[in-house]
């Protein structure tokens, strides 16, 4: 090429391109585009320079510290007549002094920060852009066909996370905030801090083509075990040197703290916090993602798909296997070219550090369909997730004299009410059917056999013998005293002499037991044939308030012993105490740039004062990327905490404002309001 094109200035036309590429919520101060989709920039030429369209004008697009054509981190391409959707390509339209240059990336190009260079002997930089995965592009491995699903799983900056127990599912609103200022850079920084990048940056950047690889790196990097990951897990109930996991309500605070503190891990997270942060990072990078909750989540320590639970008389689990009341992970949407066809779609990935995979604390992506079909040989970590939703439970009681009694078990205790937020609605969608066939169905047991499962347990109906079950009242309000009941039934032909022990213990969501908070002495009773009986246990605030954790969960346990045969029967139930409600009124006109006021009130339900009362509000594009707090101080018994908190919407559209109340004796109280903000 004889004549060099001289460029006066370059306009990356960020607003138009970012809008076309569904990244404008990141702002318009730099170019952020998605792969496999064209973008157009304007070159303003120096006077006297002419741009010959036919000239052999060449370009280079490169990413990473060691760009190379072989690794696909560097692409060389020249002007052509048409844009290609299957390789890097460019077209140009020239007028007197400007050139409109359209560039399209390969739909399988590695994501990351790119330099675009005009190659005319010596390279002329045309600028930088960020390239993301593209769920809108059919050739991209994260392509998602439904517009409503892309809106929910890629663009939505807030959501709902489900916790609690199947009979009392509770909702935690969460701000993902993937488009908030600076968050995309932190998500890319997470990839650059991974051991994979540090040990071989060229290979790592090349592998960023593949969402399977990127998801696996994120699963390892969201937790801090073995790397410079984002969050430290803590299930000890001692959070003095950090933040209680239940305090977090948004991902951005955590990600910013990690980045600002030289990548020191943030203290502390539990499963839903790990999952929420993973969801933010996945959506920021363009991988469709949703947060999923599994109730009765098994942690199988030896991989035999049977949870053997040994207890002493006081229901303390003395085995390694454990069952969490609930456990939260994420699913990412992608194809799986590394597996046979039919295993594309949702893939389970678990960033909570409880399982080593190929030597690293990460889990997934495991195809949800492989879990349902019991394909335990498929990558990655299918057996671990399979056990979380499918393990059979066998329970034993071990007495002080060393004798062991089998107490029965269950094929249905594990993997219940698997839940995610519905698309476009603030409702729970039950996706258990994606993970398993209906309990007791032929297909389910066929899958069990395939998964090397041979301990089918009898499905118990109204059988002969002694029975015990626990009943509770609907009104179990934090701060009140209330009764719970153990109901007994003698389904035999003879009178039975029995002993009953009924007690309550604080429990965390991961099944870890705390102190006793209600104890009935051994009760002796005679039950006539086909007769029933009842034992009452009073739970008093003065007792349980000292024992329960931030999860507000209490485990009830009733043991029934046949005095003659020494047979054991037992019933158990986990209850969640109701917290008070936050009353919310939003005052003002919901317009961009106009101040709104959240008028908040909450009644103290406790028979004692609450100290250090604080309301916190936040929402994507509502509170300037960070929570706004309002301190209320001390609130007496049955009195109201009240506050008016001002905030200013930055962008139009459907938004959620999240409201949180915390104090010394009562925390983890949250609610949300949906707002439509107008221009």
């Amino acid at each position: 090429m004889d004549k060099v094109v001289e460029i006066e200035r370059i306009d990356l036309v960020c607003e138009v391109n970012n809008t076309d590429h569904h990244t404008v919520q990141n702002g318009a101060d730099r170019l952020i585009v998605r792969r496999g989709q064209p973008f157009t920039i304007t070159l303003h030429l120096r006077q006297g320079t002419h741009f010959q369209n036919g000239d052999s004008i060449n370009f280079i697009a490169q990413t990473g510290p060691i760009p190379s054509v072989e690794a696909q981190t560097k692409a060389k391409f020249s002007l052509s007549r048409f844009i290609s959707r299957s390789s890097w390509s460019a077209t140009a339209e020239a007028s007197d002094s400007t050139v409109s240059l359209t560039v399209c990336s390969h739909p399988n190009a590695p994501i990351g920060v790119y330099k675009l260079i005009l190659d005319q002997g010596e390279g002329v930089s045309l600028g930088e852009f960020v390239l993301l995965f593209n769920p809108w592009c059919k050739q991209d491995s994260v392509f998602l066909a439904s517009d409503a699903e892309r809106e929910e799983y890629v663009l939505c900056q807030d959501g709902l996370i489900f916790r609690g127990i199947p009979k009392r599912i509770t909702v935690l609103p969460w701000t993902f905030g993937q488009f908030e200022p600076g968050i995309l850079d932190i998500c890319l920084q997470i990839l650059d801090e991974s051991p994979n990048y540090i040990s071989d940056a060229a290979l790592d950047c090349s592998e960023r083509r593949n969402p399977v690889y990127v998801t696996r790196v994120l699963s390892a990097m969201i937790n801090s075990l073995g790397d410079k990951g984002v969050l430290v897990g803590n299930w000890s109930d001692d959070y003095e040197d950090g933040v209680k996991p239940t305090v977090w309500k948004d991902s951005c605070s955590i990600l910013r703290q990690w980045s600002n503190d030289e990548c020191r891990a943030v203290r502390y997270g539990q499963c839903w916090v790990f999952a929420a942060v993973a969801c933010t990072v996945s959506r920021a990078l363009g991988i469709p993602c949703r947060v999923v909750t599994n109730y009765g989540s098994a942690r199988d320590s030896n991989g035999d798909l049977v949870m053997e639970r040994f207890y002493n008389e006081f229901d303390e689990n003395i085995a390694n296997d454990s069952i969490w009341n609930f456990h939260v992970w994420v699913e990412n949407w992608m194809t799986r070219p590394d597996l046979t066809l039919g295993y594309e779609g949702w893939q389970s990935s678990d960033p909570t550090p409880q399982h080593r995979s190929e030597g690293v604390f990460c889990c997934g992506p495991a195809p949800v369909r492989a879990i349902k079909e019991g394909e335990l040989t498929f990558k990655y970590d299918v057996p671990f997730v399979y056990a979380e939703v499918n393990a059979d439970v066998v329970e034993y009681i071990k007495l002080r004299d060393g004798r062991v009694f089998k107490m029965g078990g269950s094929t249905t205790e594990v993997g219940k009410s698997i839940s995610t937020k519905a698309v476009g609605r603030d409702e729970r969608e039950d996706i258990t059917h994606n993970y398993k066939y209906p309990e007791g169905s032929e297909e389910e047991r066929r899958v069990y056999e395939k998964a090397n499962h041979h301990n089918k347990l009898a499905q118990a109906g109204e059988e002969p013998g002694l029975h015990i079950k626990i009943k509770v009242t609907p009104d179990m309000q934090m701060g009140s005293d209330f009764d719970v009941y153990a109901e007994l039934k003698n389904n035999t032909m003879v009178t039975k002499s029995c002993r009953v022990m009924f007690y309550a213990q604080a429990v965390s969501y991961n099944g870890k037991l705390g102190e006793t908070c209600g104890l009935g002495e051994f009760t002796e009773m005679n039950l006539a044939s086909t007769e029933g009986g009842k034992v009452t246990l009073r739970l008093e605030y003065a007792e349980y308030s000292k024992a329960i954790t931030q999860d507000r969960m209490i485990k009830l346990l009733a043991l029934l012993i046949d005095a003659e045969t020494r047979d054991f029967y037992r019933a158990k139930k986990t209850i969640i105490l109701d917290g008070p409600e936050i009353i919310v009124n939003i005052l003002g006109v919901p317009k961009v740039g106009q101040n709104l006021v959240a008028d908040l009130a909450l009644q103290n339900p406790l028979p004692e004062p609450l100290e250090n009362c604080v309301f916190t509000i936040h929402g994507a594009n509502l509170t300037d990327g960070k929570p706004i707090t309002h301190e209320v101080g001390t609130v007496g018994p049955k009195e109201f905490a009240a506050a008016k908190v001002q905030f200013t919407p930055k962008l139009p559209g459907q938004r959620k404002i999240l409201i949180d109340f915390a104090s010394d004796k009562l925390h983890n109280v949250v609610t949300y309001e949906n707002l439509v903000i107008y221009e």
Side-chain angles (χ1 to χ4, degrees):
M1 191 175 114
D2 46 351
K3 216 163 178 202
V4 171
V5 176
E6 291 189 12
I7 297 168
E8 183 131 312
R9 67 185 175 85
I10 297 155
D11 182 0
L12 296 178
V13 202
C14 297
E15 179 112 22
V16 173
N17 285 319
N18 290 6
T19 301
D20 282 351
H21 285 250
H22 308 278
T23 62
V24 76
Q25 290 191 79
N26 283 302
D29 52 348
R30 63 169 168 171
L31 184 57
I32 302 170
V33 295
R34 297 185 188 274
R35 57 189 197 170
Q37 184 178 333
F39 60 92
T40 300
I41 64 176
T42 307
L43 312 180
H44 294 268
L45 305 182
R46 289 230 171 106
Q47 237 173 345
T49 296
H50 287 290
F51 185 88
Q52 292 296 118
N53 205 340
D55 284 348
S56 53
I57 291 179
N58 297 309
F59 299 94
I60 295 170
Q62 61 186 42
T63 185
I66 314 159
S68 94
V69 174
E70 298 73 45
Q72 298 182 30
T73 47
K74 182 178 187 175
K76 295 182 168 182
F77 52 102
S78 48
L79 280 180
S80 50
R81 288 183 58 198
F82 302 105
I83 286 291
S84 158
R85 292 295 178 122
S86 57
S87 63
W88 284 87
S89 58
T91 62
E93 284 183 23
S95 63
D96 290 349
S97 60
T98 60
V99 178
S100 189
L101 178 68
T102 298
V103 176
C104 187
S105 61
H106 192 298
N108 194 26
I111 62 160
V113 179
Y114 275 78
K115 290 185 171 69
L116 183 62
I117 298 160
L118 174 63
D119 185 18
Q120 41 181 12
E122 59 190 56
V124 176
S125 171
L126 299 181
E128 273 195 355
F129 61 92
V130 180
L131 188 67
L132 302 176
F133 290 108
N134 192 354
W136 285 262
C137 169
K138 281 199 172 82
Q139 288 78 30
D140 194 310
S141 44
V142 300
F143 172 67
L144 191 55
S146 152
D147 204 34
E149 289 184 0
R150 290 190 297 246
E151 185 68 41
E152 181 72 50
Y153 299 138
V154 185
L155 298 179
C156 195
Q157 293 201 79
D158 42 52
L160 305 177
I161 298 171
F162 298 98
R163 298 188 299 178
I165 51 178
K167 290 207 167 111
R168 257 298 307 287
I169 289 174
T170 59
V171 175
L172 173 70
W174 191 275
T175 305
F176 297 117
Q178 66 269 28
F179 298 113
E180 291 282 22
I183 294 302
L184 177 57
D185 288 319
I186 297 172
C187 297
L188 293 168
Q189 183 186 3
I190 289 171
L191 298 181
D192 288 350
E193 290 293 341
S194 85
N196 300 28
Y197 179 87
I198 290 160
S199 64
D200 189 341
L203 179 63
D204 176 71
C205 288
S206 171
E207 289 283 5
R208 292 181 192 179
R209 289 166 300 174
N210 182 354
V212 175
Y213 175 83
V214 172
T215 299
R216 202 156 165 73
V217 169
L218 293 181
S219 167
M221 283 299 294
I222 299 302
N223 71 72
S224 65
L225 283 179
D227 52 41
K228 292 175 80 174
V230 176
L231 271 162
V232 183
N234 183 347
W235 290 266
S236 74
D237 226 30
D238 175 11
Y239 310 111
E240 278 300 305
D241 55 346
V243 173
K244 261 191 190 142
T246 46
V247 169
W248 305 113
K249 301 295 181 296
D250 74 306
S251 304
C252 299
S253 306
I254 294 166
L255 290 166
R256 289 198 177 110
Q257 185 180 323
W258 174 79
S259 179
N260 294 340
D261 200 12
E262 296 173 354
C263 309
R264 260 199 291 276
V266 176
R267 297 163 187 266
Y268 287 103
Q270 288 177 357
C271 63
W272 68 91
V273 187
F274 288 109
V277 173
C279 182
T280 295
V281 180
S282 300
R283 289 183 185 181
L285 299 177
I287 304 172
C289 187
R290 63 188 187 183
V291 176
V292 170
T293 304
N294 175 36
Y295 291 93
S297 194
R299 194 161 159 226
D300 182 13
S301 60
N302 63 359
D304 64 356
L305 306 184
V306 178
M307 306 292 293
E308 291 199 305
R309 304 175 83 187
F310 288 87
Y311 296 93
N312 59 21
E313 291 103 313
F314 285 96
D315 198 46
E316 284 160 341
N317 190 348
I318 45 183
N320 289 332
D321 290 348
S322 62
I323 296 182
W324 295 28
N325 283 305
F326 67 87
H327 182 49
V328 184
W329 58 74
V330 292
E331 290 176 358
N332 298 91
W333 181 271
M334 65 193 71
T335 59
R336 286 301 296 268
D338 56 326
L339 302 175
T340 50
L341 220 62
Y343 292 92
E344 61 284 339
W346 289 116
Q347 315 284 319
S348 289
S349 174
D350 188 353
T352 298
Q354 50 173 353
H355 167 72
R356 270 190 198 275
S357 174
E358 297 179 344
V360 177
F361 276 101
C362 68
C363 178
V368 172
R369 180 157 172 243
I371 296 158
K372 182 170 183 171
E373 297 298 341
E375 294 288 359
L376 302 199
T377 57
F378 281 19
K379 328 194 269 204
Y380 287 91
D381 310 302
V382 174
F384 185 77
V385 186
Y386 178 90
E388 288 187 303
V389 300
N390 273 312
D392 278 352
V393 182
V394 185
E395 300 189 327
Y396 303 89
I397 196 161
K398 192 171 186 177
L399 302 183
R400 283 180 205 138
D401 60 12
R403 285 184 302 157
V404 173
F405 294 89
K406 186 172 172 185
M407 286 192 301
S410 161
T411 57
T412 59
E413 184 180 344
V414 166
K416 290 203 278 216
S417 305
I418 303 174
S419 303
T420 190
K421 179 187 175 298
V423 173
R425 308 192 313 282
D426 285 337
E427 286 168 31
R428 184 180 76 86
E429 183 185 347
D430 194 303
I431 54 169
T432 311
H433 60 277
N434 292 354
Y435 280 85
K436 55 208 287 193
Y437 288 102
E439 292 290 1
S441 68
E442 264 179 59
E443 297 98 333
E444 183 225 10
R445 285 291 139 179
R446 169 181 63 73
V447 169
Y448 257 43
E449 295 305 320
K450 185 201 284 185
N452 187 15
H453 232 317
H454 301 296
N455 52 326
K456 187 170 180 182
L457 299 169
Q459 306 289 314
E462 178 74 351
E463 293 185 1
L466 286 173
H467 293 277
I468 183 164
K469 73 204 263 194
I470 294 172
K471 291 278 192 193
V472 297
T473 56
D475 184 34
M476 295 181 290
Q477 180 82 25
M478 180 74 184
S480 64
D481 300 347
F482 56 91
D483 291 332
V484 291
Y485 310 96
E487 292 187 346
L488 320 172
K489 186 83 189 284
N490 175 8
N491 275 356
T492 71
M493 305 308 286
V494 295
T495 297
K496 286 281 189 187
S497 172
C498 310
R499 300 178 75 197
V500 184
M501 186 179 186
F502 191 16
Y503 65 94
Q505 231 173 327
V507 64
S508 299
Y509 86 92
N510 63 349
K512 189 175 157 210
L513 290 165
E515 290 172 38
T516 303
C517 56
L519 185 59
E521 292 306 309
F522 264 119
T523 310
E524 310 271 353
M525 51 199 315
N526 288 322
L527 288 178
S529 172
T530 69
E531 287 289 305
K534 190 153 120 176
V535 177
T536 304
L537 180 63
R538 183 91 173 145
L539 292 183
E540 296 180 348
Y541 172 74
E543 285 301 308
Y544 69 69
S545 62
K546 299 194 288 252
I548 61 171
T549 70
Q550 53 192 7
D551 300 322
R552 295 205 288 272
M553 287 182 176
I554 296 175
K555 185 167 188 175
L556 305 173
L557 190 91
L559 275 181
L560 173 63
I561 302 165
D562 183 328
E564 193 183 352
T565 64
R566 297 293 306 276
D567 283 340
F568 277 83
Y569 305 87
R570 101 191 166 118
K572 56 188 178 170
K573 192 177 211 92
T574 299
I575 59 174
I576 300 179
L577 301 181
D578 288 319
E581 265 185 56
I582 302 174
I583 304 155
V584 184
N585 270 314
I586 303 295
L587 313 173
V589 182
K591 285 178 73 168
V592 172
Q594 293 228 17
N595 290 344
L596 293 176
V597 172
D599 186 5
L600 310 172
L602 171 141
Q603 188 174 21
N604 174 7
L606 306 187
E608 56 184 328
L610 294 175
E611 312 282 345
N612 309 327
C613 298
V614 179
F615 284 107
T616 304
I617 68 164
H618 60 94
N621 307 124
L622 294 174
T623 59
D624 219 8
K626 54 190 182 293
I628 300 172
T629 57
H630 187 289
E631 294 180 10
V632 181
T634 303
V635 177
K638 307 298 179 208
E639 287 184 359
F640 279 87
K644 287 183 161 51
V645 190
Q646 190 170 294
F647 62 100
T648 312
K650 289 280 187 289
L651 283 177
Q654 177 97 28
R655 300 277 173 251
K656 265 190 183 57
I657 186 87
L658 276 50
I659 301 106
D660 174 73
F661 175 84
S663 66
D664 63 333
K665 301 178 196 70
L666 195 61
H667 25 144
N668 205 5
V669 183
V670 287
T671 188
Y672 65 92
E673 290 282 316
N674 287 322
L675 302 175
V676 177
I677 307 298
Y678 298 98
E679 279 285 10

